[in-house]
């Protein structure tokens, strides 16, 4: 029972989800974007690996590449030579950085042109024979990293734990079956060796008996023949028992090997299903990437338009700020003049008030003086009339 094939019900839920093709479709746009970036990076690495070979035989591939890509490759080749010259001879660091920046821009432009024409890239890939280089190992490692990332992104932590546990159980079962097979093989070898030793011992006994028989009298021949028959019968019985045991052990080994091969076939079938699902996921990702590129292009155009409007309004704002500064200065001068005029007016008002007060005081004094003078004159007239009477 322990060596029987595990039923589907014994497989953990997380592993069944991984093995089920419908569970491996990425429904997360972030995963699709990550895989798109990784695939595009792989293509760029392969194109970069071909550029050096293309520029070495540019006349041969000029017709296939077209005028735009050819001119870009010529410019890139010139910039590469110039950078090598600047690196080999000490010079202006700023000039070298500027040339390196131009070289990077040229490489990005070439990659953009090749990505816009995938048929050209695939044609050149099979047309050009590139020697094995460390770049191939790096690209291979990057593609393995991409497959590893896809598997990790499509598997949740719980499913990953269940899958690891399931694989550990399978490994333990395979290891246990291997140990059982090894033990059975050792037991079979030991049984065969024991049988051979027993047969050899009995053969030796027979030989000894034969030797003894030669020394015995003819009267003992009947007894010797009986002993030989019994020895031969016992040898045949032991040999038959040994063969039956060897047959049982071989059947057990064959059954365990069949079980092992069944497990291998099952896992290979699961691997094929996962590879098909991987191809479907890559096609779906490519479709979403194209949609993403289209949306981003439209948003880039909108951004550039808004940037132009923003720049224009910024220039107008700068002019208005300059005018505002001039007007503020003029306003400050006018306010200062108004303040001085107001102070003068207030001073004049205070002077006018002092004058009015002085005039009022003078008028009051004058009126008092007139009243006193009139009163005095009237008193003088009254006194004169009294004297006359």
């Amino acid at each position: 029972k322990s060596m029987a094939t595990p039923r589907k019900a014994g497989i953990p839920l997380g592993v069944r989800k991984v093995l089920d093709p419908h569970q491996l479709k990425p429904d997360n746009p972030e995963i699709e974007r990550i895989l798109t970036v990784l695939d595009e990076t792989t293509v760029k690495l392969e194109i970069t690996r071909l550029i050096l070979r293309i520029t070495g035989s540019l006349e041969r591939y000029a017709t296939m590449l077209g005028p735009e890509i050819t001119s870009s490759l010529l410019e890139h080749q010139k910039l590469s030579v110039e950078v090598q010259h600047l690196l080999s001879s000490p010079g202006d660091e700023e000039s070298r950085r500027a040339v390196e920046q131009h070289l990077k821009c040229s490489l990005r432009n070439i990659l953009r042109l090749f990505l816009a024409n995938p048929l050209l890239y695939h044609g050149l890939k099979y047309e050009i024979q590139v020697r094995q280089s460390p770049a191939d190992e790096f690209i291979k490692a990057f593609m393995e990293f991409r497959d590893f990332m896809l598997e990790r992104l499509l598997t949740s932590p719980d499913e990953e734990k269940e899958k690891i546990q399931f694989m550990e159980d399978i490994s333990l079962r395979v290891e246990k079956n291997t140990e059982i097979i090894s033990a059975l093989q050792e037991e079979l070898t030991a049984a065969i060796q024991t049988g051979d030793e027993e047969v050899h011992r009995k053969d030796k006994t027979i030989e000894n008996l034969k030797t003894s028989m030669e020394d015995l009298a003819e009267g003992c021949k009947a007894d010797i023949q009986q002993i030989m028959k019994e020895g031969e019968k016992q040898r045949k019985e032991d040999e038959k028992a040994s063969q039956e045991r060897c047959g049982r052990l071989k059947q057990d080994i064959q059954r365990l090997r069949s079980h092992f091969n069944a497990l291998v076939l099952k896992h290979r079938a699961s691997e094929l299903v996962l590879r098909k699902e991987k191809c479907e996921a890559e096609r779906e990702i490519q479709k979403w990437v194209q949609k993403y590129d289209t949306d981003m292009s439209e948003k880039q155009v909108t951004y550039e338009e808004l940037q132009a409007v923003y720049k224009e309004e910024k220039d107008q704002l700068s002019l208005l700020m300059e005018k505002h500064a001039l007007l503020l200065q003029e306003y400050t001068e006018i306010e200062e003049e108004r303040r001085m005029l107001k102070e003068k007016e207030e001073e004049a008002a205070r002077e006018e008030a002092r004058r009015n007060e002085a005039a009022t005081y003078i008028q009051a004094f004058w009126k008092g003086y007139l009243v006193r003078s009139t009163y005095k004159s009237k008193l003088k007239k009254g006194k004169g009339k009294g004297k006359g009477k």
Side-chain angles (χ1 to χ4, degrees):
K1 291 183 180 179
S2 61
M3 293 184 291
T5 303
R7 299 180 181 177
K8 185 175 180 182
I11 302 176
L13 178 60
V15 179
R16 291 207 304 271
K17 290 179 67 179
V18 173
L19 297 178
D20 188 2
H22 300 287
Q23 299 293 332
L24 290 176
K25 291 184 178 180
D27 54 357
N28 191 343
E30 296 296 332
I31 298 177
E32 298 174 357
R33 293 172 185 170
I34 292 172
L35 294 178
T36 300
V37 171
L38 293 175
D39 291 336
E40 187 174 344
T41 304
T42 304
V43 175
K44 288 181 179 179
L45 290 172
E46 293 179 350
I47 294 172
T48 305
R49 185 172 61 95
L50 295 176
I51 287 176
L52 183 61
R53 187 64 183 270
I54 294 172
T55 54
S57 304
L58 193 57
E59 296 179 357
R60 177 182 175 185
Y61 305 107
T63 304
M64 184 185 297
L65 294 172
E68 185 177 4
I69 299 178
T70 303
S71 61
S72 298
L73 288 173
L74 286 173
E75 182 182 358
H76 183 74
Q77 189 176 13
K78 292 178 182 178
L79 291 172
S80 299
V81 173
E82 187 175 354
V83 168
Q84 292 177 359
H85 177 71
L86 291 173
L87 290 174
S88 60
S89 60
D92 188 5
E93 185 70 18
E94 186 175 354
S95 299
R96 183 177 65 79
R97 290 180 180 176
V99 174
E100 288 179 351
Q101 186 65 29
H102 288 312
L103 182 64
K104 292 178 182 178
C105 294
S106 174
L107 180 60
R108 284 197 294 267
N109 183 45
I110 292 171
L111 292 175
R112 180 181 59 79
L113 294 174
F114 273 104
L115 290 175
N117 194 352
L119 294 177
L120 174 61
Y121 156 66
H122 289 292
L124 289 172
K125 182 178 179 181
Y126 293 104
E127 180 72 18
I128 300 173
Q129 298 296 330
V130 182
R131 295 180 180 178
Q132 192 73 14
S133 65
D136 296 329
E137 296 297 329
F138 179 76
I139 293 173
K140 182 179 178 181
F142 189 83
M143 294 175 68
E144 292 176 355
F145 171 73
R146 186 262 181 202
D147 296 336
F148 175 73
M149 285 297 297
L150 173 61
E151 182 180 356
R152 292 303 299 272
L153 289 172
L154 295 179
T155 307
S156 65
D158 295 335
E159 294 173 353
E160 182 70 18
K161 291 179 181 178
E162 292 181 357
K163 181 180 177 183
I164 292 172
Q165 185 63 38
F166 177 73
M167 296 305 295
E168 290 178 353
D169 294 341
I170 292 296
S171 299
L172 290 175
R173 290 181 184 179
V174 172
E175 184 178 357
K176 186 182 293 184
N177 292 336
T178 305
E179 292 176 356
I180 293 172
I181 291 171
S182 300
L184 290 175
Q185 287 178 347
E186 292 177 358
E187 187 177 351
L188 175 61
T189 304
I192 293 172
Q193 184 178 359
T194 304
D196 292 339
E197 290 176 355
E198 183 70 20
V199 171
H200 179 69
R201 184 178 61 80
K202 291 184 178 181
D203 288 340
K204 189 174 181 181
T205 303
I206 292 171
E207 290 177 359
N208 293 330
L209 291 173
K210 285 181 179 180
T211 305
S212 300
M213 285 168 59
E214 292 176 357
D215 299 333
L216 293 175
E218 292 181 358
C220 297
K221 289 183 179 179
D223 295 334
I224 293 171
Q225 289 178 356
Q226 182 67 27
I227 292 172
M228 289 179 64
K229 288 180 180 179
E230 291 178 357
E232 185 67 20
K233 182 179 179 181
Q234 184 67 31
R235 187 183 68 80
K236 288 181 179 180
E237 289 178 356
D238 293 340
E239 185 177 358
K240 183 178 179 181
S242 177
Q243 289 177 354
E244 290 178 355
R245 189 173 185 183
C246 290
R248 289 195 301 272
L249 292 174
K250 288 180 180 179
Q251 289 178 359
D252 291 339
I253 292 172
Q254 186 65 30
R255 181 167 54 82
L256 291 174
R257 285 179 179 173
S258 300
H259 177 59
F260 177 75
N261 293 331
L263 288 176
V264 172
L265 292 175
K266 180 180 178 182
H267 288 297
R268 286 179 180 174
S270 300
E271 182 180 359
L272 291 175
V273 172
L274 292 174
R275 288 183 181 276
K276 290 181 181 179
E277 183 60 24
K278 172 187 174 183
C279 294
E280 293 179 0
E282 288 178 353
R283 288 194 293 270
E284 187 71 18
I285 288 168
Q286 186 66 26
K287 183 181 72 174
W288 282 103
V289 167
Q290 293 176 356
K291 182 178 179 182
Y292 172 78
D293 292 339
T294 304
D295 295 340
M296 290 305 295
S297 299
E298 294 176 355
K299 291 181 179 179
Q300 181 66 28
V301 172
T302 306
Y303 171 75
E304 290 176 354
E305 293 176 355
L306 294 174
Q307 185 69 20
V309 174
Y310 169 75
K311 185 177 180 182
E312 183 179 356
E313 292 180 353
K314 187 176 180 181
D315 294 338
Q316 293 179 0
L317 178 63
S318 299
L319 294 175
L320 292 174
M321 291 296 291
E322 292 177 358
K323 292 181 180 180
H324 176 265
L326 294 175
L327 292 174
L328 184 62
Q329 184 177 1
E330 293 178 358
Y331 174 77
T332 304
E333 293 176 355
I334 292 172
E335 285 295 320
E336 184 65 21
E337 292 178 358
R338 287 180 178 177
R339 186 182 64 78
M340 293 177 66
L341 289 174
K342 186 176 181 180
E343 289 179 355
K344 291 180 179 179
E345 289 177 356
E346 290 177 354
E347 184 65 25
R350 287 195 294 270
E351 184 67 23
E352 184 68 23
R354 286 196 299 270
R355 290 178 180 177
N356 290 334
E357 185 179 358
T360 303
Y361 180 77
I362 292 170
Q363 288 178 359
F365 180 78
W366 178 251
K367 288 180 180 180
Y369 173 75
L370 291 178
V371 170
R372 286 194 299 272
S373 299
T374 304
Y375 183 72
K376 286 180 179 181
S377 61
K378 287 182 179 181
L379 288 176
K380 288 179 179 181
K381 288 180 180 181
K383 289 179 178 181
K385 288 181 179 181
K387 291 177 178 182
K389 289 180 178 182

